[in-house]
């Protein structure tokens, strides 16, 4: 997989970032990102859908 300026510019927005503590971006999440990268290289592309989950909350944002 090669670096693509257009792809970079299409996805690099500060509005899509969120501050995280180290514990939120390590462990299983780090392994998931590594696997995602592996699949993208192996298969030439990968589509990932992500979202936010709040601990101890039964509220949804689908309404």
């Amino acid at each position: 997989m090669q670096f693509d300026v257009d792809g970079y510019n299409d996805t690099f927005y500060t509005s899509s970032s969120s501050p995280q503590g180290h514990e939120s971006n390590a462990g299983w999440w780090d392994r998931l990102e590594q696997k995602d990268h592996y699949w993208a290289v192996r298969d030439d592309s990968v589509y990932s859908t992500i979202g936010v989950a709040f601990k101890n909350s039964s509220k949804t944002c689908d309404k």
Side-chain angles (χ1 to χ4, degrees):
M1 183 168 77
Q2 273 186 290
F3 176 79
D4 179 68
V5 173
D6 291 331
Y8 176 83
N9 290 333
D10 287 345
T11 59
F12 189 77
Y13 295 100
T14 55
S15 60
S16 66
S17 66
S18 175
Q20 299 177 16
H22 174 73
E23 66 281 353
S24 298
N25 206 22
W28 67 268
W29 188 260
D30 181 48
R31 290 190 301 277
L32 177 62
E33 286 183 335
Q34 290 177 29
K35 196 66 156 174
D36 205 45
H37 177 76
Y38 165 78
W39 290 325
V41 170
R42 183 190 70 184
D43 300 329
D44 194 40
S45 63
V46 67
Y47 294 93
S48 297
T49 304
I50 60 170
V52 177
F54 296 98
K55 259 186 180 179
N56 304 321
S57 176
S58 61
K59 294 180 181 180
T60 63
C61 47
D62 59 349
K63 295 181 181 180

